[in-house]
Structure formats: structure tokens, C-alpha cells
Amino acid sequence: MTPAMLTALLSHWKRRPFQFLTLIHGLALATALWSGVQAINAEARKSYDEAADTLTGGGLPNLVARNGLIAHETYIALRRSGWLVSPVVDGWIAGERGRVRLLGIDPFTAPSDSTIGTTIGPDSIGDTMGSEGAVLVNPATANRLGALNRTVREVATLTPGLALADLTVASDLMDQQGYNRLIVLPDQPLVQPDLEDIAPDLRTEQADTAEDLSRLTDSFHLNLTAFGLLSFAVGLFIVNGAVGLAFEQRRPVFRTLRALGASSRRIVALLIVELLSFAILAGAIGIVLGYLIASLLLPDVAATLRGLYGASVEGTLTLSPVWWLSGLAIATLGTGLASLNGLIQVARMPPLAPAKPRAWAMVNAGTMRGQLILAVVFLFAALAALAIGGGLVGGFVLLGGFLMACALALPAILAGILLYLSRFGRGPLSAWFWADTRQQLPGLSLALMALLLALAANIGVGTMVSSFRDTFTGWLDQRLVSDLYVSVETEEESSLLQDYLAERGLDVLPIWETEGDVRGAPAEIYGVVDHPVYESSWPLLSRSPDVWERLHDGEGALINEQLARREGLSPGDELELPGGWSTQVLGVYSDYGNPLGQVVIALPLLVGTYPDADKGDFGVLTDDPQRLRQELVAELGIPDEQMTDQAALKAFSMQVFERTFAVTGALNILTLSVAGLAILIALLTLSAMRLPQLAPVWALGVTRRKLAQLEFVRALLLAALTFVLALPVGIGLAWVLLTVINVEAFGWRLPMSLFPRDWIWLGLASLAAAGLASLWPSRQLAKRPPADLIRVFAHER
Amino acid sequence: MRLDVKDVVKRFPGVEAPVLNGISLSMDAGEVVALTGESGSGKSTLLHVIAGLEPADGGDVTLGETALSGMDDAGRAAFRRTELGIVFQQFNLIPSLTVGKNLGFQAELAGKPTGKNDISSMAQALGIIDQMAKYPEELSGGQQQRVAIGRALMHGPKLVLADEPTGNLDEATSDAVFDLLLGETAKTGASLLIVTHSEKLASRAGRRLHLSRGQIET
Ligand SMILES: Nc1ncnc2c1ncn2[C@@H]1O[C@H](COP(=O)(O)OP(=O)(O)O)[C@@H](O)[C@H]1O
Ligand SMILES: [Mg+2]
């Protein structure tokens, strides 16, 4: 009996191939967008882990100089005194498509059980050693080093974006004398002289872990994940619509099967089997699409991460089976979610229920009221999450509840607006147009909800990215108050530079700094001179009166937002600082993306309290940084690499942001086109059912052309209304992302800036999407043979 | 106004013999003609051609001075709007409009808007005055046909075409609706061409035409 039943059930799809395509397409796209984003995130995370492991020699502590590089002599002195350390040259070399990180190591002393040690094992030492040795890289990175005049050997196990070479080779390539750091090997002799005695200018640095890097980049990945989730939801709306309609249309089949003696449980079981096979088919297509999306976007993402955070992620994908499986799982889960309602209805259906496919698309006040009630429930859940807090999970409950509430309320709100607008209509056709549009709403509502979500996601994430850019450039301005940055190595150079600049009447802002524990966590302590530029360019989040005067008088400190939030500090509070003294918090400033706490005090106070602070960096205010730079090279002999001008730094940062935009832009277009397809599919599905509504109007003397024009206008109108409604939803979404989720996740709050000009483009894009989607159905209607319309009056329907 | 149908030919693609094979007939102003014939003989097709719903493959239809041949789609639509009233067997009404709106719809389309009073008195005459705020799906079949008749007459058409208007109704309702159709059309002075299966109803028309093998038999 089962095969016969299956044939009966499946014949539906054979007769309606378009509906089948709808279902598969919705599911495949949902899976694709979701798994594409997951692939990007997974790839980045993997790179962070590997990079952190390789760079630190497997999590071992390092010795670094307080100032500049470590001399070879210092290294020898340490080795002689019994310190087991291994020298490392660490820097960047130019490659095609951006820089490549280069590590120079000593194969004989490198820790043998770390990534470095195992990569340059005993068998490869031969051709790596010495000044003619090869540079080892991952095959994916190898082609970026084409211009390098060296033997490049590919090692598949090496982290992408990273090159490994012998010390001499690396020093040579970077033209550098001395080492950047020394890895402290795990097994040290029991007795060992103090580091202070042998190398007083070195200090121990605990290894960076992958976490440090991923904390920085989390914000970025969170955006992507939120986007993936929303796109997935949009896809599910399509699936839900297609499944609902297919179930409704098959009611006669279900009825017949029941009459023939099949239990409803068996029918449901067969439907589940059917849906499961669809899910697997669509999931597989979706995973392939997701892979394509990810591999198209990853180079941009990689460039962003490289530029923004110095995180090395190669632009190629290596995917694990787990990812494939999770793609299928999410497709199955999505199908289940989207068809749950339909399945429950089939299970509960009395054996002789009549088919009502038209009623499915007609106004159903009950359904709309139900949706509205559900929307209120979701809204309350969201508000409860906002009131209670509840960390990141609470934030996501708020986000999901808010979006679901808005989507569910959409049909009712649109119906209200249409009712209001219909009052301005004149003439019979306009009266019919408004009434008919309202009746069409339920049939289109899922597609419109999908459009609403897609638009809201666009506006929300767009606002977030733009706010981030705005904030970041503002923050760059704040950080980069000086026009030229110069760093020097020795005290003599320092005083020489200061004298030289003072002679020319240029303002100098020393950037002197030390590090220490503040309230039990590592923090940076900076000193600032009394200069009006700070007051004019540092926006403070909160402040006590006369903050700048008191800061320069040494009466207190400014702290960054992270420290303030973490320790619950606000202006007026006492703060203990390293060295056993304490001072008052005068104000809080924003400091984006920095995982460390930061304290700013008056420069004389810094110098007096911390005599060994790092005093090599200076900012200079000048109208012509290029000329000053050349003069400093020519007259003081300061190497050009030790100077950076503000314009170049900013240009670089902005370039990074344009790349970020490219990624979000691509995702935006993808979700929008998914929503556009949803509209097209809904319109095509409806167009067959619409004939009974159109035929009487046509028979009374309205041409098919005119009717088609009205159908087209209707699609535009609904898209325009949905867009207008999506604006507040998108801004709400941005608000939740910026002020709730970001704070919960990273401890700092992004101020929101709105960009109405972007919205105009988005509005036009959604009109274009709806217009394109309705072009085909409208054309079909204009060309429809009269016989099709006449048939309405003769046939049972 | 006089209706002249001359040598009308209509074929359907894939069907060898023409459904209408040189049909000619004429009707005087205010005349009531019943058209009978077996199922599939082409009665509906003839009505559709006269209404300009489908173009003829040959011959011509003229109402007064207006000839259908040579008109484009928009012209034929305007013709239907202003000159004709059409009642089909079922599903005449616009589902998204109330009964009241449906009644006045064609009159407004035709640019002859009717006052509330005209609509009420028509509804009164048709016995549907209590249903004005309802939607078509809330009415019975007989009530729906009454609304369709009212709508077809509100704008004062020259010719009313009815295709088995009572074909879906039980006998008692059918008689009542037929009476209304004849009575109300007579009040407007329009000609009425009515397709019916029922001998009894056909006998109440002034003249009868029989359609068979694509030709009119008298
Ligand atoms: N659009 C069409 N395409 C092909 N054949 C049609 C079409 N419409 C009607 N016919 C055929 O033309 C003949 C006449 O149909 P119709 O006018 O509806 O008959 P009646 O109304 O007298 O029952 C029938 O054989 C029918 O099958
Ligand atoms: Mg017929």
C-alpha cells in the first residue's frame, strides 16, 4: 500500500514542477547563505588558532626588548648564562595581494614539539638552513610569493598567510639586524641568573593566545552570523509558504487516501519522508551554493581581517566533513520548522475535510488576528529579555523576538494602511484595486514578511557597519591627532629630535607608555602633554567638571570604556594604579576593538611615577608631514620606516573598510534577491488562483492590459509599503545590535549613526526587485488567452 | 437598438470543424430571443463572439451603428462596458467587493454613476436589499445571480446577454430569477439574448433560435 500512497502523494509535484522548484530553491538558498557564512567564520577561526600556535611557538612565553630589537650579543649572553632561548625574527614582507607574515627561526634551538619545530624537522633542516635556505609556506600562500627571489618550498601543514625561514634568510629579506623576540623553551635549568642581571632591557611576555585575536574579530564574525541567520529565516518563509500551499492543494488526495483506509499517522509519516528527501536534496544544493558564496567572499573577508586586525586568514577554503553534515542538518531542521504547522493540520484533519486552496489565499480575518496575537507574544518576550538582561542569550532573544513580532504583525498593519489609503481612491477601478489588494495580502504575506526581514537586515546591518565605520574613523581621528608619527630608539635620538622640532616651532606630542596590571588585568598607561588638541579631538563618553585642567594638573586619569564597563568605574571613583598609588577617574573615552584596559594620565606624572616607561614615540603637528619626514631623514638620520604619516594610516584604514563593505554589500544583495524571488514565486503561485477574481472585471469591460498594469502597480505598492515599514524595524535591529548585543559581547557600545542616503538606494532596490518579480506574471496576464478567463464562468472551481 | 450578426465563423485551434460556421441573426430593439441547442453546440461561443470577449474568425457583429470587426482589444472592452450587460451561469461577481459595490460597479466603469437611490430600488426589486453589505461568497447561488442581473442592467445597456443564467439553480429559484431577468430587462428597454437548456423557459421568450452543427435552425 505504501508505494501506491507515495505515488499518489508525489504525483502532485509532477503536475506542479514550479511549486517543487520553489520549495527546493527556498530551502537551498536558506542553507546556502547560512552555511556560506559558517564556512567563512570557521575558516577564520581555524586560521587564528593555527597562527597563534605558530607565532608563539606553541604558547611559550617570549622575551622582548623594552625598546626596539634584541641584539645578537644579548642573545649570546643569555645562552651562556644558561637561559635556554630561541631567537625569532618576526615581520612582514611584501607579497602579491597584501603582505605576508614572515617568521625567521633558528632550526637548532627552536622548540621541537611546536608547529615550528615539527615543520622544520630534522629531515628538512638541510635545505632550510643557512643563508641560501628555502622559505617554507603553505601551498595557498606560495603563489603570492612569486616575486620573491628565493627558493620557496610548499608545506601543506603550515598556516596559510605565514612564511617560515631560517633566521639569516628572514633577516636578509627584511633587512634587519637583531631579533624581535626570544622564545623561552619549556625546560630551563634549575639554577639560572635573573633576567634583570643579564639583560635588563628585556622583559617576559606571556604568549598571545588565539583568544586575543578572536576577541578582536568577534564583532566582525557576529555581524556575519546575524546576517546568515536572517537570510536563513527569509528562506524558511519561502519554504513555509510552498509547503503550506502544497498541503492545502493535496487535501483531496489526503481525503481519498483516508477514505481508502490509510491512517492519518501513515500519511503524516509519508509526508515526513517526502519532506526529508526534499531537505536532503535541497540541503546538498545549498551546501554547494554556500561553498561558492563563501569562496567568492572569503578573499574580501580575509583582506578585511588582515588589514583590520592583523589576523592572517588565507583566501581559500578548506572544508571539513563536519561542515557538510551541519549544512544538511540545518536544511532538515529548517524544513521541519517550516512544515510543522502543515503537518499538524494534516494529522488533525477530519477524513472528509473539503479542499480550500482558494480560501488559503483569501482574506482570513481569523489567521490575521492569530498572527497579531502571536506578534504581541513575541514582542513581550523581546521586551522581557530587554528588561531582564540575561547577557548575550538575552540579547539574541530580544533580537529574534523583535524581528518575529514585526514580521507577524506585517499583514495586519498593511491591511490597515490599505484600508486607510482606499479612502482616497476615486472611481470603480480604484475601489476594486484597494479591495482586491487587501484580499491578496494573505497569499502574499509570507513573501512580504521575507521582504521585510531582508530589508530590515539590510538597514540594520548596514547601519551597524556604517556606524562602525563612522565611529572608527572618528576614533582614528582621535587616535591620530598628530600629522606625523616618529619613533626613535635611544635617549640621544630622542632629545635630538625634540630639540630639532622645538627649534622649528612645531608642536610635539610624546606618546609615552608603560604596561602594568590594573585591578588584576593587564592594562596600558599613557601620558599626555598639556595641549589643546586633545580637548578638541577626544570625545568623552562621560566626564567630571574641568576634566582636562585637572588631568593636566595631575589630579586624575581618563580610562577607556572597556575598563570602565568591566570594573563598573565612572568619573569620581578611585582607581589604584601599578606602583602602589591611586588616583581619581575623571572621564571615560571610547576605545574600539582594544581588548585591554587603558589609562591616560598627565605626562609628567607618567615620567615621574614610571621612569622606565617607553619614551621612543612622538607625534608631531605639522602642515607638511611629507617635507618634515624628508628633513628628518636627511638632517637627523632617522630611518624612514620609523615614521608614519597620518594620511597614509587613514587611507589604509579606509581601504580596509571599503573591503568590509564589499562583503556586507554582497550579502545584502543576496538576501534582497532571495526576497525578490520569494515575491516572484508568490505572485506566480497566486496568478493561477487569481483568475476568478480578474475574469469578472475583464468581462465587464476592463482590458487585460489594464489589469496587468494594475497587478504591476500593486506589487510596487506593496513593496514600497513594506520598505517604509522596514525602516523602523531595521533601525530597531541596528539599535539592538549596537547597544545590546555589542555591549554584551565586547564591553563597548557603538554609537548609532543613520545614513538615510543608503536607504534611498535600498528603497529603489526593493522597488526594482518587486517590479522585476511582477514583470513576468503581469506580462502573462496581459497575454492570457480570453478562453482562460471565460472558462471561469463555466467551470466549477 | 438593432443587433445584426452576419456570417460569423469561429474556429478553435486543434478542432477541425468550425464551432460556428456562418451564423447570421438579427434582433430588434427590446426583443427577447432564446437560444437553445445541445451541449457543445456552440451557444456560449456565439455569445462570447457577440460580446467581443473572443474575436470572430470571419463575419461581423453590429449593434446599432457600431461594428465589432476592426475593433482592437481596448475598443471591444469599451463596447462591453457601455453597451452590454452580461450574465453568466456562475461566478459573475467580484469577490473582493460587497454586494452593494458589485451592483454599481459596471455603471461606474461605464461612466454613468448611479445614485444610492437607484441602487437601493434595484436591490429592492431584486429582493437583495438586506444583503448589500455582504460579500458574494456569503450569498446563495440564487442571490448571487440576482446581483449579477442587477449589475448588468444598472447602466442601461442596449443588449443583455445571458448564458444559462439559471443553469446552476434549483427549479423554484430558477423560475424566480428568470422572471426577474425578463421583467427588469423589459423595464430598461434593452434587447435580451438568452441561452437556456430549459424548454419551459425558452418558451417564454418572444422568439426561439436553435443552434446545431454550427448553424442556426429555425
Ligand atoms: N477555448 C476553446 N478551445 C477549444 N475548443 C473549445 C474552446 N471553447 C469551446 N470549445 C469547444 O467548442 C464547442 C462549443 O462550446 P460551447 O460554445 O461552450 O458550447 P455550449 O455552450 O453550446 O455548450 C465545444 O465542443 C467545446 O469543446
Ligand atoms: Mg455553454
Side-chain angles (χ1 to χ4, degrees), chain B residues 70-153:
Chain B
M71 273 189 191
D72 61 358
D73 199 43
R76 289 198 299 267
F79 172 73
R80 280 203 299 281
R81 215 157 48 214
T82 52
E83 313 292 337
L84 298 190
I86 307 177
V87 182
F88 294 104
Q89 188 172 345
Q90 53 185 351
F91 307 125
N92 286 286
L93 304 183
I94 298 165
S96 51
L97 297 179
T98 59
V99 167
K101 286 263 164 56
N102 261 290
L103 262 183
F105 191 78
Q106 188 171 4
E108 284 197 62
L109 267 189
K112 301 177 200 161
T114 41
K116 268 211 160 65
N117 288 343
D118 295 338
I119 295 185
S120 314
S121 54
M122 176 65 88
Q124 193 79 53
L126 295 167
I128 47 168
I129 189 74
D130 300 332
Q131 322 290 335
M132 299 291 274
K134 289 188 180 167
Y135 283 90
E137 58 185 8
E138 299 170 273
L139 302 189
S140 72
Q143 287 171 326
Q144 290 188 15
Q145 288 306 81
R146 288 165 201 246
V147 181
I149 290 168
R151 185 186 62 191
L153 295 173

Side-chain angles (χ1 to χ4, degrees), chain A residues 22-316:
Chain A
T22 307
L23 186 66
I24 296 296
H25 140 266
L27 204 51
L29 274 177
T31 314
L33 287 168
W34 168 259
S35 49
V37 166
Q38 290 312 308
I40 292 175
N41 283 348
E43 191 63 26
R45 294 244 153 78
K46 200 177 96 209
S47 297
Y48 303 154
D49 290 343
E50 286 175 356
D53 187 48
T54 314
L55 292 176
T56 62
L60 295 172
N62 285 234
L63 295 182
V64 295
R66 293 183 200 278
N67 212 334
L69 297 172
I70 303 170
H72 183 67
E73 293 72 37
T74 317
Y75 165 61
I76 298 296
L78 276 167
R79 290 289 306 194
R80 286 222 178 102
S81 68
W83 275 78
L84 293 178
V85 289
S86 177
V88 176
V89 168
D90 183 350
W92 299 84
I93 50 172
E96 284 154 42
R97 290 181 289 116
R99 304 176 303 165
V100 173
R101 183 111 180 229
L102 176 65
L103 278 191
I105 57 148
D106 175 23
F108 297 106
T109 56
S112 55
D113 54 352
S114 70
T115 314
I116 303 174
T118 45
T119 306
I120 308 189
D123 42 312
S124 64
I125 278 190
D127 60 330
T128 326
M129 233 181 61
S131 56
E132 293 305 312
V135 177
L136 307 185
V137 284
N138 183 288
T141 317
N143 56 24
R144 292 177 45 196
L145 293 178
L148 208 65
N149 225 347
R150 292 279 172 173
T151 335
V152 173
R153 201 156 61 75
E154 297 180 10
V155 180
T157 53
L158 205 57
T159 312
L162 208 127
L164 213 56
D166 186 87
L167 268 185
T168 41
V169 177
S171 305
D172 205 27
L173 281 172
M174 290 193 291
D175 200 11
Q176 169 177 314
Q177 303 296 316
Y179 311 127
N180 296 77
R181 51 200 169 83
L182 306 173
I183 299 175
V184 182
L185 300 182
D187 302 317
Q188 297 286 335
L190 283 175
V191 190
Q192 201 176 40
D194 259 6
L195 186 60
E196 280 292 313
D197 299 337
I198 308 158
D201 63 330
L202 294 193
R203 62 184 175 81
T204 314
E205 195 179 66
Q206 285 312 313
D208 279 354
T209 56
E211 252 163 53
D212 292 334
L213 199 54
S214 59
R215 261 225 306 278
L216 277 175
T217 50
D218 263 348
S219 178
F220 185 82
H221 292 301
L222 192 72
N223 296 355
L224 282 181
T225 307
F227 224 125
L229 210 60
L230 278 168
S231 311
F232 188 65
V234 169
L236 286 197
F237 273 98
I238 303 178
V239 177
N240 184 280
V243 170
L245 181 61
F247 279 12
E248 193 59 53
Q249 286 173 335
R250 280 193 289 183
R251 270 172 180 253
V253 182
F254 300 153
R255 201 171 30 173
T256 313
L257 289 176
R258 292 290 298 275
L260 293 176
S263 68
S264 74
R265 187 182 299 176
R266 187 150 180 168
I267 295 179
V268 169
L270 283 177
L271 286 176
I272 291 177
V273 170
E274 177 194 89
L275 288 171
L276 210 60
S277 37
F278 289 174
I280 290 172
L281 172 65
I285 299 173
I287 290 167
V288 173
L289 281 178
Y291 181 85
L292 288 177
I293 292 173
S295 51
L296 281 177
L297 292 184
L298 195 58
D300 276 333
V301 173
T304 302
L305 291 169
R306 202 159 41 229
L308 205 52
Y309 309 102
S312 188
V313 175
E314 195 56 49
T316 45

